[in-house]
Amino acid sequence: MTLSSIIWTVVKILIVVGFIVNLSAILTWMERRQSAMMQDRVGPNRAEITVFGYKIRLFGLLYPIADAVKMFTKEDFIPPNADKVLHSLAPMLSLFPPLVVLGVVPFTDTLCLDNLHEVVQKNGVVASNWHFFSSWIEQPSCSLPGAKNFIDGCCVIGCQTAGVVHQPWAEHFGTCPANVAPGMIGAIHMQVIDFNPGVLYVFALAGMGIVGASIAGWSSDNKFSLMGGLRAASQLVSYEVAMGLSIVGAIMVYGTIRLDEMTRWQGDHVWGVFVQPLAFILFLTAAIAETKRAPFDLPEGESEIVAGYLVEYSGMKFGMFYMGEFIEIATSSALLVAIFLGGYNMPFLHRDGITIAVGDAVVWKQHIPHILVILMQAGAFFGKIFVLCWFQMFVRWTLPRFRYDQLMKLGWRMLLPAALANIFLTGVILIAFDRTGTEFQERMGVVGDFVNLATAIAITFVQLWIVIGFFGSTQPAIRRNAFNKRARSAGEIVEKALAS
Amino acid sequence: MPQPLVGSFPYDKVKGTAVPKPTRTASEQGYVSEITKGIAVTMTHFFKNTRAMVRGERPDPVVDPMSEGITTLEYPDQKRPYPERFRGVHRLTHRDDGSPRCVACLCCSTACPAQCIYIEAGEYGGKDKRHGYERYPVKFVIDELRCIFCGYCVEACPCDAIRMDTGVHPVPYDSRDQFIYGKNMLLAMASQAGKQKHENPRAEPPDADYGPIERLAGHH
Amino acid sequence: MEPTDYDIDETDLELPAEPMRLNMGPSHPAMHGTIRMVLELDGESVEKVDVQLGYLHRGFEKMCERGTWAQVFPYTDRLNYVSPILNNVGYALAVEKLAGIVVPERCQYYRVILGELARISDHLTCNGAMAMELGAFTPFLWIMKGREHIWDLLEEETGARLTHSFFRIGGVAKPPRPELKARVREVVDAVLLILDESEKLLLKNRIFVDRLQGVGHITAAEAVQYGFTGTVLRATGVAYDVRKAHPYLVYDRMEFDVPVGTDGDNWDRFMCRLYEIRQSCRILAQACEQMPDDGPVNVERPEIVLPEKEAVYKTIEGTIQHFKLVMEGALIPAGEVYSYTEAGNGELGFFIVSDGSGTPYRVRVRPPCVFTLQGFPRMIRGHMVADIVPTFGSVNMIGGECDR
């Protein structure tokens, strides 16, 4: 542990915590405005501050600040018969785990400090000094002896370029030219904690979330709280199982439990969601259940048990639960991204730049300096988290709540068997895949490339669609007096109702 | 113990049409596909509304309250005029010379179900044209907190002296005494169109078109 | 002192299992209308419910004995505060029955139109709030938008959004506006569109269906024994609708169906309300077709109906009649009568007694809610705490008319 590694660790912690805490604040705004847009209303937009006489509203982005001020200045109420120590401990216990889970999630590829301006390949070779016009389908020489062809920054003889193949993780080091071994000065692993348990650590800490909720429920001295705490405990324990088992299939495919290795595998082949679609859905379901939000918000169950374990909390203690909930959304999204949605990888964005290639046919290649690649990867990672949070909001505002026994049935009778079946199927397919010849595996590699191509096209299309739809098109979004024009079709509805 | 249906309900007279039961097809039972469809419905709303907000094409809720999309008013900034029949805060109508049309007959305070109107009647002085002809309200007080805005006072008024067409809903104040509207306050209110005069066609002594009928002074 | 281990028999070591008493309400998010339920819970399932009402008691019936017959209308607004027009109609019909009045045809259609609009708003509120309490907030707000259209229309017609106080004995406070029919058609279309969209989120969503189907069921025989009326009764399969069984106003000229359920569970109640909204739209379409565009709206009974304002201003007869009616009230002949109409929740009955004076001797209301509420413990027994929410929502207890 040298001084520089400590400094870098602190920097990484600041990046992750800063991002997540700010994201959770933005998520509160997003939840309010997004649900408003879904529900045909405007949403909160009136919080304003006056700076030098200018009134600034920022579309309601100031609400999180107003919330914070309100929560800090509110009375911190502890019920007279409550267990005061546990009552105060519970919010911390529920805020802390989701925050530290993110320690093992890599947010970019290994950063080579010495080669920021150069093009660094996957195997740690500097391809060339980067010039803007120098790199049209340039084939750098392969430095390993015996290599025939050079694709994707990787000598063909050394590593499999594509294909759904289980590979030893050691080949996928994001090595740096200066020093081949990772973790030394000059090669910085962009995850806070660089250690082997990976996913196990995630589950160990995610399980801690139960403790906060159930302690809060028990210590509040309120029957509604107690029911909320019990519901939280049983719900989280049940879904922890489904969550853990759903990921086993993915672990089998990736051959590792380290999240950075998983991400690299997805960069080399295809995103995990395409090889483990069932596991993705199961994990998403379980992750939403872990965040205790609709349709799984039974522990809080507004209309049933008032606010569940939150009943007796006020002020910043409530604020911590509230923040923990939003951080948990961001955390679960980050895990989903790292395990199933390619982490920081975008299709065809490699360590040395953009290479659009299907099989051996390289369509287009553009070298990009290392620092830009790292920034693009970070952007991709945080962008994916954002999109996933956005999607979770849709789920939350579209679906009604489960009932307690239905929730348990879903967890134990649907998700758990499905996860087990997924493990079984994955195992069978993996064995069968290993028995097939290299030719078939290479063909699968080409299929993987096509999937990547489709993903890239889909992402581009959606972005274009949003940009053009929002700003380009001249057709107004909502026809004015639309109703009168739609009256004719509505008249048909009345006719239908009359006929029924 | 449940007993067989008895009594005179006309069970046979009316035949009901049974409502459908949930279909519960395989795709519905599997959650995922129907949930995706539901999210697609909400997403349509989201994109439409966000796009309209971003482009500033939102239909104006003041003039177009029945369009699709967002029609909520941002209240203190945007206000929709109240309909013509809306029963708002009361006003006392004026005569031509600006005096209240009210003759203190106590019809409105009698008709008021909430008993929120207090009137003290007084006689006009000896020199006044209306002396001996009619009375006037010395005090006319409406407690707008007790008022239930039923409009009975307007209906009960025989000379169009009290009206509720101000288009002002009861304004929230800080303290209760501010809700008690006195005669001057009520006289200061105008209708939505800005009128303060009454529309009673019958001319009374101080009105401009009051006819030549003179009553003897002291005639009661 | 705690007994030590060797003092106790093995059999005593089992944990004592006594039900948990949980006090739901009167201040609780799901207990709209301030009602209190004392639950005895075994884990999450409900063993016993004690429903206690009376937290919204305002002495409605006693207050009615204070003023004139006409001054009761504002009180009826506050009975079922989700569909006040229907209460107004019910009370007006009761007094008219006692006084032997039949209002002119135009007024009857006007009452039907406004009443059916109120019924739609009642059912929209009930279904929307029920979905909202189950966590589906988005369809609720869409539905509220539809209700807003209806209330805007009612405000234009009556002058108030909620407390209309619009109908009078022997007629109506103001004649229908000329644009009424066009506006009704417009509003009905808008509501149906919104309803279709909201249904997309609910009816095929298994989470929602599971919460409703098979929960809170009651048999037809029990429902009749408890005295259920309205949608809660029809959901059990009994097609008793006052509008069909004992037609009043002009309902016998309307063509509409009575949606009935089969099991009497939450799903049937929910669906019955949805289909009743559509039937109300049918009635509205027909009423708009048949309603005459001009003609009197008030009955020709000078001793009961206030004279025209013009007559009050200009003629001494009108003024005298006006003063008589305002000061003394309309004199309703002595006697007693029970009149019942189909309100939002079921049969809303008014039993009124007159001693021949201008003041009611007794106004007794038969609210549909009390009867459905007394069957509520029967519906919920054996289900879970979470089932109280949709069941109580679908019973549609309105505190105003329940406690009066």
Side-chain angles (χ1 to χ4, degrees):
Chain A
M1 210 64 162
T2 58
L3 181 65
S4 82
S5 71
I6 291 173
I7 292 173
W8 269 103
T9 309
V10 172
V11 168
K12 285 186 283 192
I13 290 174
L14 285 181
I15 292 175
V16 171
V17 173
F19 172 73
I20 288 299
V21 171
N22 282 314
L23 180 65
S24 73
I26 290 174
L27 283 183
T28 59
W29 170 78
M30 214 166 96
E31 168 146 280
R32 287 167 181 163
R33 289 313 293 272
Q34 186 182 338
S35 61
M37 292 296 121
M38 288 160 70
Q39 294 161 350
D40 288 355
R41 57 192 173 91
V42 183
N45 61 351
R46 304 190 70 86
E48 74 179 14
I49 47 170
T50 312
V51 180
F52 301 121
Y54 292 100
K55 286 186 174 166
I56 300 172
R57 277 192 178 171
L58 286 178
F59 321 108
L61 266 171
L62 298 168
Y63 272 92
I65 301 170
D67 281 346
V69 171
K70 185 193 85 173
M71 280 167 176
F72 274 114
T73 49
K74 258 180 124 170
E75 184 197 353
D76 179 24
F77 175 75
I78 299 178
N81 289 335
D83 188 322
K84 290 184 179 52
V85 177
L86 289 182
H87 189 80
S88 312
L89 190 66
M92 299 178 211
L93 281 177
S94 84
L95 178 63
F96 178 69
L99 209 52
V100 292
V101 159
L102 280 174
V104 290
V105 180
F107 48 93
T108 70
D109 209 341
T110 312
L111 177 66
C112 304
L113 271 187
D114 299 335
N115 311 82
L116 287 181
H117 59 287
E118 291 164 339
V119 177
V120 178
Q121 285 162 6
K122 185 178 285 174
N123 55 358
V125 177
V126 175
S128 63
N129 278 342
W130 183 75
H131 300 293
F132 193 76
F133 294 109
S134 72
S135 47
W136 290 105
I137 315 181
E138 187 185 304
Q139 295 282 341
S141 60
C142 197
S143 62
L144 288 181
K148 279 177 265 169
N149 200 358
F150 190 94
I151 295 166
D152 201 10
C154 187
C155 295
V156 168
I157 196 172
C159 48
Q160 198 77 40
T161 48
V164 190
V165 192
H166 157 66
Q167 297 192 349
W169 58 271
E171 283 178 20
H172 295 276
F173 269 165
T175 45
C176 285
N179 26 19
V180 178
M184 292 180 70
I185 311 156
I188 292 159
H189 277 208
M190 294 305 266
Q191 69 203 72
V192 179
I193 324 166
D194 179 22
F195 78 147
N196 283 329
V199 174
L200 298 183
Y201 166 86
V202 169
F203 285 120
L205 275 171
M208 285 281 290
I210 307 163
V211 181
S214 44
I215 284 185
W218 184 80
S219 66
S220 299
D221 185 38
N222 181 319
K223 284 175 182 170
F224 287 114
S225 295
L226 185 65
M227 288 178 78
L230 282 173
R231 281 181 175 192
S234 49
Q235 172 180 334
L236 296 193
V237 166
S238 312
Y239 278 77
E240 200 74 24
V241 177
M243 196 179 189
L245 282 176
S246 71
I247 218 172
V248 170
I251 293 174
M252 285 159 74
V253 173
Y254 302 150
T256 176
I257 56 169
R258 282 181 65 109
L259 282 163
D260 51 339
E261 296 307 325
M262 289 183 176
T263 312
R264 286 215 181 84
W265 188 94
Q266 294 175 71
D268 290 346
H269 303 92
V270 286
W271 289 4
V273 63
F274 299 116
V275 289
Q276 288 280 316
L278 182 58
F280 174 72
I281 292 172
L282 296 179
F283 191 88
L284 179 66
T285 315
I288 296 174
E290 294 274 300
T291 55
K292 303 192 280 288
R293 282 160 63 80
F296 300 100
D297 60 344
L298 291 104
E300 288 157 34
E302 166 79 38
S303 56
E304 296 158 18
I305 49 173
V306 193
Y309 61 94
L310 299 172
V311 168
E312 298 290 357
Y313 280 92
S314 63
M316 200 52 210
K317 279 185 196 155
F318 172 78
M320 281 167 85
F321 276 116
Y322 194 62
M323 222 168 108
E325 189 181 300
F326 280 100
I327 289 177
E328 222 164 318
I329 300 168
T331 308
S332 62
S333 302
L335 285 175
L336 271 162
V337 166
I339 299 172
F340 291 104
L341 293 178
Y344 47 73
N345 292 301
M346 290 304 277
F348 305 122
L349 174 66
H350 298 291
R351 206 157 150 71
D352 55 351
I354 294 171
T355 311
I356 298 177
V358 176
D360 287 349
V362 178
V363 181
W364 190 66
K365 191 174 175 75
Q366 170 71 48
H367 278 169
I368 296 174
H370 186 58
I371 180 70
L372 279 183
V373 170
I374 293 290
L375 286 179
M376 282 159 85
Q377 285 176 341
F381 180 66
F382 292 129
K384 281 179 198 174
I385 292 182
F386 200 72
V387 170
L388 217 56
C389 291
W390 176 79
F391 179 76
Q392 288 196 31
M393 301 276 174
F394 270 109
V395 176
R396 189 246 175 282
W397 287 101
T398 305
L399 298 181
R401 193 182 301 126
F402 279 100
R403 198 172 65 200
Y404 181 68
D405 59 330
Q406 292 163 356
L407 177 94
M408 288 293 145
K409 269 181 203 154
L410 178 74
W412 292 102
R413 290 203 193 152
M414 286 184 85
L415 294 192
L416 187 68
L420 289 173
N422 184 46
I423 296 171
F424 179 73
L425 264 180
T426 312
V428 168
I429 290 174
L430 277 182
I431 291 172
F433 196 76
D434 275 351
R435 297 278 168 84
T436 55
T438 29
E439 196 186 328
F440 179 75
Q441 291 179 5
E442 271 174 22
R443 218 175 291 150
M444 285 309 290
V446 176
V447 172
D449 285 341
F450 272 115
V451 172
N452 274 337
L453 193 65
T455 318
I457 291 171
I459 292 172
T460 321
F461 177 76
V462 168
Q463 285 173 351
L464 281 178
W465 179 69
I466 288 174
V467 169
I468 292 175
F470 270 64
F471 305 106
S473 162
T474 49
Q475 193 193 358
I478 288 176
R479 286 158 295 156
R480 275 159 204 269
N481 290 317
F483 188 71
N484 300 339
K485 284 176 196 162
R486 284 175 69 176
R488 218 171 298 120
S489 68
E492 286 162 20
I493 296 171
V494 177
E495 290 301 313
K496 224 189 293 170
L498 283 172
S500 71
Chain B
M1 271 304 286
Q3 289 166 4
L5 297 172
V6 285
S8 58
F9 280 143
Y11 298 110
D12 311 328
K13 194 172 161 190
V14 182
K15 204 98 176 100
T17 47
V19 295
K21 287 280 166 191
T23 43
R24 290 193 185 270
T25 56
S27 72
E28 283 169 40
Q29 291 295 87
Y31 292 106
V32 177
S33 70
E34 289 301 326
I35 284 175
T36 320
K37 277 185 208 165
I39 290 177
V41 174
T42 46
M43 264 194 191
T44 320
H45 271 254
F46 171 79
F47 280 116
K48 262 190 180 172
N49 291 332
T50 316
R51 186 164 172 263
M53 288 291 268
V54 167
R55 294 164 62 110
E57 284 171 350
R58 206 189 127 197
D60 188 354
V62 178
V63 296
D64 189 11
M66 288 204 59
S67 80
E68 55 178 1
I70 302 173
T71 49
T72 41
L73 284 169
E74 292 178 49
Y75 172 64
D77 303 336
Q78 299 174 323
K79 282 176 187 170
R80 207 180 284 160
Y82 283 115
E84 193 195 330
R85 287 185 176 180
F86 177 74
R87 301 194 293 263
V89 166
H90 310 77
R91 71 182 172 99
L92 286 181
T93 54
H94 293 211
R95 294 172 196 257
D96 288 344
D97 61 351
S99 59
R101 184 67 190 81
C102 177
V103 294
C105 70
L106 306 189
C107 269
C108 51
S109 60
T110 311
C112 178
Q115 300 175 339
C116 68
I117 306 178
Y118 173 74
I119 304 171
E120 231 175 80
E123 294 285 347
Y124 287 102
K127 296 273 173 66
D128 200 294
K129 269 186 177 177
R130 282 165 286 180
H131 174 68
Y133 185 83
E134 61 191 33
R135 299 187 297 172
Y136 76 103
V138 181
K139 273 187 185 170
F140 195 107
V141 182
I142 298 182
D143 186 346
E144 299 285 352
L145 266 185
R146 289 191 74 167
C147 175
I148 55 168
F149 297 91
C150 60
Y152 278 24
C153 49
V154 181
E155 227 169 69
C157 183
C159 50
D160 194 27
I162 188 166
R163 281 186 165 228
M164 296 178 83
D165 57 359
T166 45
V168 181
H169 56 258
V171 185
Y173 296 112
D174 297 332
S175 65
R176 288 182 177 230
D177 52 341
Q178 284 168 296
F179 282 95
I180 294 169
Y181 284 13
K183 192 171 104 178
N184 294 337
M185 178 82 167
L186 292 166
L187 280 169
M189 297 273 195
S191 74
Q192 273 201 78
K195 281 191 202 157
Q196 285 190 311
K197 233 194 120 217
H198 69 101
E199 280 168 22
N200 183 353
R202 187 176 61 192
E204 305 285 349
D207 292 339
D209 52 351
Y210 177 57
I213 305 166
E214 290 287 345
R215 304 204 177 203
L216 295 171
H219 175 85
H220 289 281
Chain C
M1 193 183 149
E2 288 277 310
T4 46
D5 272 357
Y6 49 81
D7 292 339
I8 309 168
D9 280 343
E10 283 289 311
T11 48
D12 291 341
L13 278 176
E14 283 176 20
L15 284 172
E18 59 181 52
M20 178 164 87
R21 280 252 167 89
L22 191 68
N23 197 7
M24 230 175 174
S27 164
H28 183 281
M31 300 293 119
H32 32 200
T34 47
I35 199 158
R36 181 177 176 216
M37 285 185 193
V38 183
L39 311 175
E40 278 188 11
L41 299 178
D42 177 18
E44 283 260 345
S45 49
V46 180
E47 286 191 335
K48 214 174 141 192
V49 194
D50 183 12
V51 180
Q52 301 177 355
L53 44 88
Y55 286 88
L56 208 62
H57 184 69
R58 294 157 301 169
F60 162 81
E61 289 172 358
K62 196 70 195 164
M63 284 194 291
C64 291
E65 296 165 15
R66 183 192 60 79
T68 59
W69 288 97
Q71 281 180 351
V72 176
F73 279 108
Y75 294 126
T76 60
D77 282 341
R78 290 148 179 86
L79 278 177
N80 182 346
Y81 37 70
V82 193
S83 50
I85 286 277
L86 288 170
N87 309 328
N88 276 347
V89 172
Y91 175 71
L93 284 175
V95 182
E96 283 159 13
K97 192 172 174 183
L98 191 54
I101 300 172
V102 177
V103 292
E105 198 171 64
R106 186 152 177 244
C107 179
Q108 294 198 19
Y109 278 109
Y110 199 29
R111 285 179 179 181
V112 166
I113 287 176
L114 294 191
E116 290 305 317
L117 282 172
R119 192 186 314 278
I120 294 175
S121 102
D122 187 290
H123 287 348
L124 282 178
T125 315
C126 174
N127 275 357
M130 184 172 151
M132 187 258 303
E133 279 166 358
L134 291 180
F137 212 84
T138 306
F140 166 69
L141 282 172
W142 292 350
I143 286 173
M144 284 302 107
K145 194 176 149 188
R147 191 182 77 166
E148 202 65 15
H149 295 330
I150 293 176
W151 281 14
D152 279 346
L153 172 56
L154 287 178
E155 186 187 21
E156 286 164 23
E157 288 297 325
T158 68
R161 293 167 67 75
L162 192 62
T163 50
H164 309 290
S165 308
F166 193 53
F167 292 114
R168 299 284 181 270
I169 301 160
V172 63
K174 282 170 183 164
R177 298 184 320 145
E179 52 268 61
L180 170 73
K181 290 180 181 177
R183 286 282 290 132
V184 167
R185 291 196 180 103
E186 199 180 44
V187 163
V188 164
D189 289 348
V191 167
L192 285 174
L193 275 176
I194 287 168
L195 208 62
D196 280 3
E197 192 142 53
S198 309
E199 279 178 3
K200 278 188 206 160
L201 282 191
L202 296 174
L203 295 191
K204 287 185 184 283
N205 184 346
R206 190 184 162 187
I207 303 175
F208 187 72
V209 171
D210 278 351
R211 287 303 298 273
L212 298 190
Q213 200 179 18
V215 175
H217 56 83
I218 192 161
T219 61
E222 280 173 311
V224 171
Q225 275 190 328
Y226 276 120
F228 284 12
T229 46
T231 318
V232 188
L233 176 69
R234 289 194 286 275
T236 63
V238 183
Y240 174 65
D241 187 324
V242 182
R243 293 174 293 173
K244 274 271 187 209
H246 310 285
Y248 54 96
L249 294 176
V250 284
Y251 280 114
D252 50 348
R253 298 180 209 174
M254 305 291 169
E255 191 188 315
F256 65 100
D257 296 335
V258 182
V260 292
T262 43
D263 299 338
D265 56 0
N266 286 343
W267 172 267
D268 279 341
R269 290 194 274 272
F270 185 81
M271 290 306 281
C272 277
R273 287 212 168 82
L274 278 186
Y275 278 74
E276 276 174 31
I277 292 173
R278 299 214 155 77
Q279 297 303 327
S280 290
C281 292
R282 264 177 87 177
I283 295 175
L284 281 172
Q286 295 170 50
C288 285
E289 200 100 319
Q290 297 171 10
M291 180 176 169
D293 278 329
D294 43 10
V297 287
N298 285 336
V299 69
E300 289 281 331
R301 292 280 289 269
E303 77 277 22
I304 285 180
V305 180
L306 283 173
E308 291 282 312
K309 280 278 176 189
E310 284 296 305
V312 180
Y313 297 151
K314 287 184 173 162
T315 65
I316 189 68
E317 294 82 5
T319 314
I320 290 172
Q321 182 196 349
H322 182 88
F323 267 81
K324 196 98 170 94
L325 279 174
V326 168
M327 292 296 178
E328 199 178 29
L331 300 181
I332 303 297
E336 55 183 56
V337 74
Y338 177 72
S339 157
Y340 46 103
T341 53
E342 182 75 18
N345 281 337
E347 180 181 319
L348 176 73
F350 282 93
F351 175 69
I352 52 177
V353 183
S354 171
D355 55 1
S357 72
T359 302
Y361 183 79
R362 177 86 169 98
V363 178
R364 154 82 188 151
V365 186
R366 184 246 187 238
C369 283
V370 171
F371 297 88
T372 45
L373 199 63
Q374 68 176 349
F376 181 73
R378 167 69 194 79
M379 290 184 196
I380 201 63
R381 201 184 307 137
H383 291 293
M384 307 187 89
V385 175
D387 289 332
I388 291 178
V389 176
T391 312
F392 192 66
S394 68
V395 163
N396 196 16
M397 203 284 301
I398 304 288
E401 71 177 5
C402 195
D403 292 349
R404 307 191 291 290

